[in-house]
Structure formats: structure tokens, C-alpha cells
Amino acid sequence: MPFDDLPFPAAKFGEPRTAPVVDPSLIAALSAEFAQRAGEHDAAASFPFENFDRLADEGILALVTPEAAGGKGGGLGDALAVVNGIARGEPSTALVLVLQYVIHNQLWRGSAWPEALRDRIARSAATDGALVNILRVEPELGTPHRGGLPATMARKVPGGWRISGTKIYSTGVPALSWLGVWARTDDAEPLVGTWVVPRGNGLAEQGIEVRETWNHIGMRASGSHEVVFHDVFVPDDHAGELRPPAGWAAPDAVATAWMSALFSGVYDGIARAARDWLIGFLQARRPTGLGGASLATVPRLQEALGGIEALLLTNRILLRSLSAAVDGGTPPSQSDALLVKYTVTNNAIDTVARALEVTGNPGLSRDNPLERHHRDVLCARVHAPQNDMILAGAGRAALSPQSP
């Protein structure tokens, strides 16, 4: 097995790797199954409900949930192996999984969430395959990573809160059982946090309007629609992480590492799918000018594929190191974790671009998956923090007095 296709380790880097929580052969089988439907979901921009039924059947939606709450108790290395493998088959499914894993991990770190709510969300993933996402982005605000307060308002009422506001890019909303809403209180000095809305018998009956606005060039099956909350009631015990705006500025190395590794793992998986297709194309294509030999015999094309292999090996080493460090209890600095995201996602984009360059018209044909991989991998650029923020932050870190 090539080094770059080894399962991600669940042990600290440099120590013997423990057995993965999910069998790699199961991940590969699910990825292959999902790949058969990926083109159809992309063309129709339809949500892959059947993929999540399969993942729920295998307990994969509760992968990082503690065993005490009914989950598998996996770490970042386990989550990365699943996300990366599933992304090779259907990346929108993997993107929804990233958010599930990041939030489930965050629920159990510290005491910012009410214990009963945390337990309900965790157990619902294990027993019902329930999905969760925290909806943050707004039409006027954009991404919260660039500063500013959410316009979505939480107004205190007897027994709870009333939530009103609009969220965009609400990934996975067609299938979410728990809708976390990033909002602020209506106080003169507001608190900012998350109010969790459990999905009832119908969203409309709760005052939640889903506008099916997602019409992207890539990740088209992610169901990242606009959601409007019309005075939605949320009980008191469904609010978490409420703090002054300044309290959100403190760095969280573990949370950053989880997000950097898993988002990067999705786009690395897309790039590997593109590499796999390219290899098949080069081996199968036999132009008459080569006297019956395949394109795989052409030195120039071998060199191009070698350059792709170098990019993907770099990605795998970086992701292995990052996940192993976190699982071993020694997460890197926020700046270093984000530089992994920067490097891996840019290598993934470069990989697919190189594959397109050597395949020409066949690579851009809608009859082949490479053009879909190209559209999907470009979405790596939109996940916050974006490249400019990552590089500026790394520069400031290097210039700080604490920098070696």
C-alpha cells in the first residue's frame, strides 16, 4: 500500500498506530458506493439523503461522540480518515460530516454547553443518525472570522428566547436535526453565542423558512441554502457558549486544528479522486500516434503525474502530523494549524489543475468526473479563514517577540 494511502493514525506521531475506529475497507466501500451517485446529485444539486442513511447505519455519524454517550469515541485521526475517504466518492457528504465532527468534538470540551443538551445531541447522533450544524454566515455580515456582530437577534422571553434573523450557506440544512443559530442578545452590551433549535414535525410550523438558494458551481449536493428564523422559540436550556464579543477572540488551538485538518481532508480527498481518474485515463487512452501504446508510456505525462504525487504526499504528511499531534495531546499553534490548511488546500487545487492541463478536452467534458472535481476543489478557497487571513496571521506570529 503506498505511503500516501495509509489510514490516518489514531496514535501520537512517532508511536505505534492504534487500530482505527472505522475499518478502512468500510470507508472505501462507502466511498465507491457514493461515487456512483455523485454525478447525479451534482447535476441536480440534490441532497444525498441516502448517503447519510448508510452512514447512520454504520454508526459513523457518532464517530467522535464519547462511548459513554453511545458513540464510537474516535479522535481527529479517525475523523480525518473517514472524511478524506468519503470525499473521494462524494465530497458534499464529507463536508456535512466535517461540521458534524467539529461540533460534536466541541460539545465535550469544557462546560460551555448545558449538560442535558449536549447529551441529547450526542445520543441522537448515535441512535437516530441526527445531524447538527451551527449556522453562522449572514447576508450583511459575511463570515464572522472577519469581525462584526451577527444581525440575528435572540430576545429574552419567559422560559426561553425568541430568535429572528437570516443565515446563508447553511450546509446540510435539508437533513439537520439540530440547527445551531449563532446570534446575539438584544442587550445594550450583548452576549454572542449559539441557540440550538431542535427540528420538530416541520420547520415551517416552527417559524423556520428554508429558501433553496444554493446554486453554486461546486459542492452542489451540500444543501447550503438560506434559512430565515421568524421569531422562533428556543428554551432556556438550549443556549450555549454565551459570552461577550471580545470573548470570541481568544485562540483555541484544538478547535482550529480540528477545523483545519477536516476541511483540508475533504479537498485532499477530491484531489486524490482526480489523480485516480487521471491514472485510469492515461492507461486507457491509446492514440494512434503512439502505435498502440498508452499515454501512460509518455515521459512528459509520467513527469506530470510525478509532480501530482509530490503534492499529495506533502498533503498526507502534513495531515498525518497534525491529526497525530492533536490526538497525542500536543496541538500545534493556531498559526501552524492554519498553514496546514493553506498548504493542503492549495496543493489540492493545483493537483486538479495539473490533471486538467494534461488531459485537455476530455478533462473538461461533463462526460468525465474530472471537471466536477475541478469545480468542487475550488470551494476550498471559501472556507474561513481564507488565504489572506492565514498568511497575515502567520506573518504576525513570526514577527512576535515570542517567535524563535
Side-chain angles (χ1 to χ4, degrees), residues 336-348:
D336 285 353
L338 290 175
L339 283 175
V340 170
K341 173 182 180 287
Y342 171 85
T343 304
V344 170
T345 55
N346 280 285
N347 282 355

Side-chain angles (χ1 to χ4, degrees), residues 32-55:
E33 176 187 332
F34 297 170
Q36 296 176 8
R37 300 186 287 261
E40 177 184 340
H41 283 300
D42 172 79
S46 54
F47 191 81
F49 290 100
E50 66 277 25
N51 292 359
F52 290 95
D53 290 340
R54 291 285 286 117
L55 293 168

Side-chain angles (χ1 to χ4, degrees), residues 144-386:
H145 281 81
R146 295 188 181 271
L149 292 176
T152 302
M153 196 74 68
R155 178 172 51 86
K156 194 70 182 73
V157 296
W161 304 80
R162 290 284 179 179
I163 308 293
S164 295
T166 299
K167 298 294 180 180
I168 56 176
Y169 308 143
S170 304
T171 297
V173 72
L176 296 182
S177 296
W178 303 93
L179 286 74
V181 186
W182 199 66
R184 62 170 169 170
T185 64
D186 60 351
D187 303 311
E189 296 183 2
L191 298 176
V192 177
T194 302
W195 284 258
V196 179
V197 182
R199 193 173 200 142
N201 293 328
L203 292 179
E205 289 76 9
Q206 294 174 271
I208 303 170
E209 177 187 0
V210 177
R211 298 174 178 170
E212 296 189 359
T213 54
W214 184 243
N215 190 25
H216 229 254
I217 67 163
M219 307 300 271
R220 288 174 52 77
S222 65
S224 301
H225 301 305
E226 181 176 304
V227 183
V228 184
F229 296 87
H230 299 283
D231 204 32
V232 176
F233 179 76
V234 180
D236 272 325
D237 59 359
H238 280 52
E241 296 188 314
L242 302 187
R243 63 187 77 156
W248 287 92
D252 184 335
V254 173
T256 299
W258 271 74
M259 289 188 290
S260 295
L262 295 185
F263 278 120
S264 300
V266 170
Y267 296 99
D268 176 76
I270 295 170
R272 291 177 190 279
R275 183 271 312 268
D276 294 346
W277 182 85
L278 173 62
I279 290 173
F281 174 79
L282 294 178
Q283 291 174 334
R285 179 85 168 120
R286 298 177 180 272
T288 56
L290 293 179
S294 73
L295 290 177
T297 65
V298 178
R300 177 181 65 84
L301 299 180
Q302 293 170 351
E303 180 182 3
L305 182 58
I308 286 173
E309 292 296 284
L311 293 172
L312 294 179
L313 179 59
T314 300
N315 281 5
R316 183 52 57 105
I317 292 173
L318 287 172
L319 290 172
R320 283 169 64 101
S321 298
L322 178 56
S323 61
V326 173
D327 287 340
T330 56
S333 68
Q334 179 167 287
S335 175
D336 285 353
L338 290 175
L339 283 175
V340 170
K341 173 182 180 287
Y342 171 85
T343 304
V344 170
T345 55
N346 280 285
N347 282 355
I349 292 170
D350 194 11
T351 290
V352 184
R354 293 186 187 200
L356 285 172
E357 184 177 355
V358 300
T359 55
N361 276 329
L364 290 171
S365 171
R366 289 187 180 273
D367 293 331
N368 297 317
L370 188 58
E371 66 86 25
R372 169 163 50 85
H373 299 327
H374 183 225
R375 289 185 285 107
D376 285 337
V377 81
L378 290 177
C379 293
R381 292 174 171 155
V382 308
H383 295 294
Q386 286 85 25

